[in-house]
PDB file of all heavy atoms in Angstrom:
ATOM      1  N   ALA A  35      -4.117  -8.734 -21.105  1.00 94.00           N
ATOM      2  CA  ALA A  35      -4.662  -8.732 -19.765  1.00 94.00           C
ATOM      3  C   ALA A  35      -5.842  -7.728 -19.680  1.00 94.00           C
ATOM      4  O   ALA A  35      -6.774  -7.867 -18.879  1.00 94.00           O
ATOM      5  CB  ALA A  35      -3.598  -8.372 -18.766  1.00 94.00           C
ATOM      6  N   ILE A  36      -5.779  -6.533 -20.434  1.00 95.00           N
ATOM      7  CA  ILE A  36      -6.769  -5.569 -20.390  1.00 95.00           C
ATOM      8  C   ILE A  36      -7.118  -5.137 -21.791  1.00 95.00           C
ATOM      9  O   ILE A  36      -6.200  -4.923 -22.639  1.00 95.00           O
ATOM     10  CB  ILE A  36      -6.235  -4.304 -19.572  1.00 95.00           C
ATOM     11  CG1 ILE A  36      -5.738  -4.585 -18.124  1.00 95.00           C
ATOM     12  CG2 ILE A  36      -7.292  -3.180 -19.602  1.00 95.00           C
ATOM     13  CD1 ILE A  36      -5.091  -3.564 -17.485  1.00 95.00           C
ATOM     14  N   GLU A  37      -8.471  -5.117 -22.025  1.00 96.00           N
ATOM     15  CA  GLU A  37      -8.958  -4.581 -23.313  1.00 96.00           C
ATOM     16  C   GLU A  37     -10.059  -3.645 -23.002  1.00 96.00           C
ATOM     17  O   GLU A  37     -11.062  -3.946 -22.271  1.00 96.00           O
ATOM     18  CB  GLU A  37      -9.519  -5.716 -24.133  1.00 96.00           C
ATOM     19  CG  GLU A  37      -8.578  -6.779 -24.616  1.00 96.00           C
ATOM     20  CD  GLU A  37      -9.163  -7.841 -25.457  1.00 96.00           C
ATOM     21  OE1 GLU A  37      -9.644  -7.556 -26.591  1.00 96.00           O
ATOM     22  OE2 GLU A  37      -9.306  -8.962 -24.889  1.00 96.00           O
ATOM     23  N   VAL A  38      -9.905  -2.363 -23.350  1.00 95.00           N
ATOM     24  CA  VAL A  38     -10.877  -1.316 -23.154  1.00 95.00           C
ATOM     25  C   VAL A  38     -11.380  -0.913 -24.568  1.00 95.00           C
ATOM     26  O   VAL A  38     -10.648  -0.470 -25.455  1.00 95.00           O
ATOM     27  CB  VAL A  38     -10.331  -0.088 -22.424  1.00 95.00           C
ATOM     28  CG1 VAL A  38     -11.315   0.978 -22.224  1.00 95.00           C
ATOM     29  CG2 VAL A  38      -9.681  -0.571 -21.059  1.00 95.00           C
ATOM     30  N   ARG A  39     -12.681  -0.958 -24.779  1.00 95.00           N
ATOM     31  CA  ARG A  39     -13.357  -0.652 -26.001  1.00 95.00           C
ATOM     32  C   ARG A  39     -14.328   0.379 -25.966  1.00 95.00           C
ATOM     33  O   ARG A  39     -15.391   0.222 -25.320  1.00 95.00           O
ATOM     34  CB  ARG A  39     -13.981  -1.894 -26.637  1.00 95.00           C
ATOM     35  CG  ARG A  39     -12.923  -3.139 -26.796  1.00 95.00           C
ATOM     36  CD  ARG A  39     -13.635  -4.402 -27.232  1.00 95.00           C
ATOM     37  NE  ARG A  39     -12.803  -5.495 -27.269  1.00 95.00           N
ATOM     38  CZ  ARG A  39     -13.203  -6.775 -27.500  1.00 95.00           C
ATOM     39  NH1 ARG A  39     -14.531  -6.997 -27.561  1.00 95.00           N
ATOM     40  NH2 ARG A  39     -12.388  -7.778 -27.600  1.00 95.00           N
ATOM     41  N   HIS A  40     -14.060   1.521 -26.628  1.00 94.00           N
ATOM     42  CA  HIS A  40     -15.044   2.638 -26.716  1.00 94.00           C
ATOM     43  C   HIS A  40     -15.764   3.042 -25.424  1.00 94.00           C
ATOM     44  O   HIS A  40     -16.899   3.198 -25.247  1.00 94.00           O
ATOM     45  CB  HIS A  40     -16.158   2.257 -27.675  1.00 94.00           C
ATOM     46  CG  HIS A  40     -15.733   1.644 -28.985  1.00 94.00           C
ATOM     47  ND1 HIS A  40     -14.794   2.341 -29.757  1.00 94.00           N
ATOM     48  CD2 HIS A  40     -15.945   0.446 -29.611  1.00 94.00           C
ATOM     49  CE1 HIS A  40     -14.581   1.491 -30.824  1.00 94.00           C
ATOM     50  NE2 HIS A  40     -15.149   0.411 -30.761  1.00 94.00           N
ATOM     51  N   LEU A  41     -14.917   3.110 -24.356  1.00 94.00           N
ATOM     52  CA  LEU A  41     -15.401   3.415 -22.985  1.00 94.00           C
ATOM     53  C   LEU A  41     -15.881   4.858 -22.919  1.00 94.00           C
ATOM     54  O   LEU A  41     -15.098   5.741 -23.370  1.00 94.00           O
ATOM     55  CB  LEU A  41     -14.298   3.058 -21.977  1.00 94.00           C
ATOM     56  CG  LEU A  41     -14.669   3.246 -20.485  1.00 94.00           C
ATOM     57  CD1 LEU A  41     -15.644   2.181 -20.174  1.00 94.00           C
ATOM     58  CD2 LEU A  41     -13.503   3.208 -19.641  1.00 94.00           C
ATOM     59  N   SER A  42     -16.904   5.002 -22.278  1.00 94.00           N
ATOM     60  CA  SER A  42     -17.450   6.438 -21.932  1.00 94.00           C
ATOM     61  C   SER A  42     -18.032   6.519 -20.529  1.00 94.00           C
ATOM     62  O   SER A  42     -18.472   5.497 -20.075  1.00 94.00           O
ATOM     63  CB  SER A  42     -18.469   6.962 -22.980  1.00 94.00           C
ATOM     64  OG  SER A  42     -19.589   6.133 -22.955  1.00 94.00           O
ATOM     65  N   LYS A  43     -17.950   7.783 -19.978  1.00 94.00           N
ATOM     66  CA  LYS A  43     -18.548   7.935 -18.736  1.00 94.00           C
ATOM     67  C   LYS A  43     -19.114   9.384 -18.624  1.00 94.00           C
ATOM     68  O   LYS A  43     -18.481  10.399 -18.947  1.00 94.00           O
ATOM     69  CB  LYS A  43     -17.453   7.840 -17.665  1.00 94.00           C
ATOM     70  CG  LYS A  43     -18.022   8.217 -16.206  1.00 94.00           C
ATOM     71  CD  LYS A  43     -19.015   7.201 -15.802  1.00 94.00           C
ATOM     72  CE  LYS A  43     -19.437   7.385 -14.285  1.00 94.00           C
ATOM     73  NZ  LYS A  43     -20.399   6.338 -13.831  1.00 94.00           N
ATOM     74  N   ARG A  44     -20.465   9.373 -18.416  1.00 91.00           N
ATOM     75  CA  ARG A  44     -21.139  10.666 -18.299  1.00 91.00           C
ATOM     76  C   ARG A  44     -21.860  10.690 -17.023  1.00 91.00           C
ATOM     77  O   ARG A  44     -22.398   9.757 -16.510  1.00 91.00           O
ATOM     78  CB  ARG A  44     -22.174  10.787 -19.445  1.00 91.00           C
ATOM     79  CG  ARG A  44     -21.505  10.794 -20.858  1.00 91.00           C
ATOM     80  CD  ARG A  44     -22.578  10.831 -22.040  1.00 91.00           C
ATOM     81  NE  ARG A  44     -23.484   9.764 -21.966  1.00 91.00           N
ATOM     82  CZ  ARG A  44     -23.236   8.570 -22.674  1.00 91.00           C
ATOM     83  NH1 ARG A  44     -22.105   8.439 -23.278  1.00 91.00           N
ATOM     84  NH2 ARG A  44     -24.024   7.619 -22.654  1.00 91.00           N
ATOM     85  N   VAL A  45     -22.003  11.923 -16.409  1.00 88.00           N
ATOM     86  CA  VAL A  45     -22.643  12.106 -15.189  1.00 88.00           C
ATOM     87  C   VAL A  45     -23.546  13.297 -15.226  1.00 88.00           C
ATOM     88  O   VAL A  45     -23.194  14.236 -16.087  1.00 88.00           O
ATOM     89  CB  VAL A  45     -21.751  12.218 -14.017  1.00 88.00           C
ATOM     90  CG1 VAL A  45     -20.947  10.979 -13.831  1.00 88.00           C
ATOM     91  CG2 VAL A  45     -20.786  13.492 -14.165  1.00 88.00           C
TER      92      VAL A  45
END
Side-chain angles (χ1 to χ4, degrees):
I36 302 172
E37 297 178 68
V38 178
R39 303 175 181 170
H40 313 305
L41 185 71
S42 64
K43 178 66 175 181
R44 298 180 297 274
V45 297

